[in-house]
Each structure stands twice: as C-alpha cells, then as structure tokens.
Amino acid sequence: LTVRQLKRLGELNDKIPNPHYISGPELVMASLMESNNNDDNDFHQREHPKLTAFIHDWRRHFQQTLQPRCLPAGWSIASPVQSDVRRTEQKNQETKSNINTTNKNEIH
C-alpha cells in the first residue's frame, strides 16, 4: 500500500449506522419475552418465568464469579424480580416538569 492509499483509507467514513441494528440486551429481552406475548395490555403485572429464571441465573453467576463481600442487606439470588418502571417513569416526568418550570423562570 502506498502512503496516498493509506490516507484515503483513513478518510473513509466507517461509522455508517445500521437501521436494522438490534442491541444485545434487546435481543436477549425479545428472546426471553417471546413466549409471554399473549397479552401485552398489562406487561408489568404479568409473570415472566423465563425472564425470572434468567435473572436468578445471572445473580447466581454474579455471586459465584465475583464472590462479592458487601451486598445489601436482604440480597438473595432468589429475591423476587421486580421492576420500578412506573415509578421511574413518574420521576422522569417530574424531573422534566421541574426543568421546564426552572427554564421558564429563568427566561422571565
């Protein structure tokens, strides 16, 4: 290769987004939720046995591999799998509202 060719190669745009890209975590979730898609009306209240088993296995792997010494009181591999999605969404909305109010006050 010549210096000129190397320079041209270095100028190529190699960061072209793939519109069909699906991240690893999204693929895992899709696979785990696949058999639970019968009724999407109340996602947060339904049981997800494959997801629960995956999370418990992951916790077991974490504990066996890293052997952590300082885990929160009550931490257990078998702890129920819970999601704070609704609470998080509510906090996000409150934060956005506070930011908008602050911005409006600064403008006036």
Side-chain angles (χ1 to χ4, degrees):
L1 291 174
T2 67
V3 173
R4 182 174 171 233
Q5 289 172 323
L6 285 173
K7 284 183 181 179
R8 285 185 56 205
L9 289 172
E11 294 169 357
L12 289 176
N13 181 8
D14 62 343
K15 307 255 188 275
I16 300 170
N18 178 352
H20 304 292
Y21 173 78
I22 301 172
S23 71
E26 290 172 321
L27 287 171
V28 169
M29 286 300 296
S31 172
L32 293 171
M33 303 307 292
E34 205 168 63
S35 63
N36 296 318
N37 283 338
N38 299 334
D39 178 18
D40 284 338
N41 290 335
D42 201 357
F43 173 85
H44 303 292
Q45 303 233 340
R46 293 178 302 146
E47 295 284 325
H48 302 286
K50 287 171 75 177
L51 179 59
T52 299
F54 175 81
I55 291 172
H56 287 169
D57 287 345
W58 187 257
R59 290 174 182 169
R60 185 176 298 102
H61 171 75
F62 166 78
Q63 188 175 42
Q64 290 172 349
T65 304
L66 298 178
Q67 299 177 356
R69 296 182 198 169
C70 301
L71 290 171
W75 188 94
S76 167
I77 290 170
S79 292
V81 176
Q82 299 177 5
S83 172
D84 288 342
V85 172
R86 289 183 181 154
R87 193 173 342 164
T88 301
E89 288 173 353
Q90 182 180 2
K91 284 183 181 180
N92 288 344
Q93 288 299 323
E94 290 171 1
T95 301
K96 286 179 186 177
S97 177
N98 290 341
I99 290 171
N100 289 339
T101 302
T102 303
N103 288 343
K104 286 179 185 176
N105 291 338
E106 289 175 0
I107 293 172
H108 295 296

